[in-house]
């Protein structure tokens, strides 16, 4: 996949096909008209193929990319499942990353699962605590080790027959998981010490691989800054099913949930009903999003049409 074309699977083999020019004109909210997982219609013969049409997507995982001039980046299309992978060893578990990806999955109506990898390196108590947090968020949480094989059967059963995109910080073991579930995949695996010194990612492009028993796994490069697309400040709460009902308990409508009087959310943190990290992630993402459309005033319209990706 590059700016002008993509690898297309046709007749059991992969061929590079150029994108027809008009596809770029039709694409308004996303810079690239085609994403990994798209079904396309090709024209031409042999190795001289052109992507003429991209079929409507049943689902997609989208993030906001591009700092000053934000645009939508479709990471994968036609997926059934988004796996947010965290490491119980090194790199340290990032609740921020996992929460962001789960929110993006919910915003796109795709099921999210949490994979806690490197259980062989887990500190006592971490597994129970983190699983508890995500089960309260109504997420399946699978604990694995690609080193010992723990949890591999459970994971295989959870993704069988589905198209699942694997996300996680660099080094959590996305490519290692793919190599275990798809022995023929032979994905390059990074060496952590080297990675940290160089600040490099082992996987550099998004790639789809077929599982032997049916279904696909999509390997992605480690994305550090995952901002959900298609969500605004008013709708983000719906992407946090554990936190959403708690917001009704705050005494004031405009509660900021950071020490305000009568805050039901912080009260629920104190009683252990929700993890503090979930609330922190919610507030962090909230601060990065645009206000809801009904609050846009003339001339103060946000630079991007944040709702366009939500179809
Ligand atoms: N101890 C331990 N190490 C693991 C486990 N899974 C993967 N690793 C190691 O973690 C390192 C990084 O694994 P990768 O699979 O390359 O990680 P990645 O998420 O694909 O990283 P990027 O491609 O850079 O995003 C490698 O040295 C793996 O051998 C595990 O369960 N336990
Ligand atoms: Mg990788
Ligand atoms: Zn509150």
């Amino acid at each position: 996949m590059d700016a002008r074309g993509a690898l297309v699977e046709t007749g059991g083999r992969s061929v590079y096909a150029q994108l027809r020019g008009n596809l770029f004109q039709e694409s308004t909210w996303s810079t690239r008209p085609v994403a990994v997982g798209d079904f396309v219609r090709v024209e031409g013969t042999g190795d001289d193929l052109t992507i003429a049409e991209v079929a409507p997507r049943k689902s997609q995982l989208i993030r906001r990319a591009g700092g000053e001039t934000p645009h939508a980046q479709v990471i994968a299309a036609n997926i059934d499942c988004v796996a947010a992978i965290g490491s119980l060893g090194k790199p340290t578990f990032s609740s921020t990353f996992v929460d962001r990806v789960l929110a993006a999955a919910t915003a796109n109506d795709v099921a999210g699962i949490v994979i806690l990898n490197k259980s062989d390196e887990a500190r006592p108590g971490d597994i129970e605590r983190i699983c508890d947090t995500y089960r309260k968020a109504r997420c399946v949480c699978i604990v694995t080790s690609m080193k010992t094989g723990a949890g591999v059967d459970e994971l295989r059963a959870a993704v069988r027959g589905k198209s699942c995109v694997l996300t996680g910080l660099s080094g959590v073991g996305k490519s290692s998981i793919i190599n275990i579930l798809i022995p023929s995949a032979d994905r390059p695996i990074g060496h952590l010490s080297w990675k940290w010194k160089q600040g490099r990612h082992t996987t550099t492009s998004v790639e789809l691989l077929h599982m032997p028993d049916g279904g696909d796994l999509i390997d992605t490069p480690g994305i550090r800054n995952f901002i959900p697309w298609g969500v605004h400040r008013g709708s983000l709460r719906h992407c946090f099913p554990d936190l959403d009902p708690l917001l009704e308990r705050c005494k004031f409508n405009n509660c900021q949930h950071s020490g305000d009087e009568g805050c039901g959310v912080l009260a629920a943190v104190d009683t252990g009903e929700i993890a503090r990290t979930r609330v922190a992630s919610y507030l962090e993402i909230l601060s990065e999003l645009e206000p809801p459309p009904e609050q846009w005033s003339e001339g103060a319209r946000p630079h991007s049409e944040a709702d366009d990706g939500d179809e």
Side-chain angles (χ1 to χ4, degrees):
M1 171 93 48
D2 58 32
R4 308 238 39 98
L7 277 178
V8 175
E9 204 178 284
T10 168
R13 59 192 197 111
S14 290
V15 183
Y16 182 83
Q18 293 239 324
L19 285 155
R20 178 165 289 171
N22 64 342
L23 290 176
F24 290 95
Q25 280 139 33
E26 287 162 19
S27 176
T28 48
W29 55 269
S30 166
T31 41
R32 289 192 178 174
V34 68
V36 170
D38 265 326
F39 293 98
V40 298
R41 185 170 62 78
V42 289
E43 288 176 356
T45 49
D47 285 348
D48 187 19
L49 297 180
T50 305
I51 298 174
E53 204 180 339
V54 180
R57 293 172 183 149
K58 75 169 182 186
S59 65
Q60 51 195 343
L61 178 66
I62 320 175
R63 73 165 188 133
R64 186 169 97 187
E68 289 289 290
T69 49
H71 57 267
Q73 184 193 6
V74 179
I75 294 169
N78 301 311
I79 42 174
D80 306 302
C81 161
V82 174
I85 305 172
S87 152
L88 294 161
K90 285 181 180 173
T92 330
F93 181 77
S94 166
S95 51
T96 309
F97 180 87
V98 170
D99 294 343
R100 285 167 176 272
V101 169
L102 292 180
T106 308
N108 290 284
D109 279 326
V110 182
I113 65 168
V114 174
I115 301 174
L116 300 178
N117 190 36
K118 307 200 184 186
S119 62
D120 55 286
E121 291 184 348
R123 289 181 313 180
D126 274 4
I127 293 178
E128 294 70 24
R129 182 176 50 81
I130 300 172
C131 283
D132 183 54
T133 297
Y134 290 103
R135 287 186 183 133
K136 283 176 183 151
R138 298 181 206 160
C139 256
V140 173
C141 188
I142 300 174
V143 181
T144 62
S145 168
M146 296 308 120
K147 199 169 171 181
T148 67
V152 168
D153 288 342
E154 191 189 346
L155 177 59
R156 188 178 285 118
V159 296
R160 181 173 293 142
K162 295 179 183 162
S163 178
C164 187
V165 57
L166 306 190
T167 68
L169 297 179
S170 184
V172 297
K174 299 177 292 295
S175 302
S176 303
I177 290 173
I178 290 186
N179 283 348
I180 296 280
L181 295 183
I182 309 175
S184 63
D186 207 14
R187 303 291 291 159
I189 303 293
H191 293 281
L192 281 181
S193 55
W194 180 84
K195 204 189 289 281
W196 282 338
K197 278 189 204 115
Q198 307 286 316
R200 290 259 192 89
H201 294 215
T202 306
T203 304
T204 52
S205 63
V206 181
E207 241 162 282
L208 182 148
L209 299 109
H210 302 304
M211 284 186 276
D213 296 342
D216 304 313
L217 294 178
I218 300 173
D219 198 4
T220 65
I223 296 167
R224 214 173 301 233
N225 190 15
F226 199 107
I227 303 177
W229 178 270
V231 191
H232 53 67
R233 268 180 233 161
S235 61
L236 182 66
R237 58 183 291 179
H238 306 308
C239 303
F240 281 75
D242 46 346
L243 187 136
D244 191 34
L246 305 177
L247 295 170
E248 304 301 326
R249 297 186 197 163
C250 296
K251 189 169 170 190
F252 300 107
N253 247 342
N254 60 353
C255 186
Q256 303 294 305
H257 326 298
S258 35
D260 313 43
E261 184 202 330
C263 177
V265 173
L266 294 184
V269 169
D270 288 340
T271 59
E273 217 175 322
I274 188 169
R276 190 175 298 279
T277 52
R278 291 282 294 164
V279 180
S281 296
Y282 173 75
L283 294 176
E284 191 179 275
I285 304 170
L286 202 65
S287 72
E288 297 161 0
L289 298 180
E290 309 291 355
E294 60 269 22
Q295 286 176 21
W296 296 354
S297 55
E298 207 50 52
R301 206 161 185 272
H303 35 254
S304 64
E305 298 194 0
D307 267 345
D308 279 9
D310 207 14
E311 42 194 27

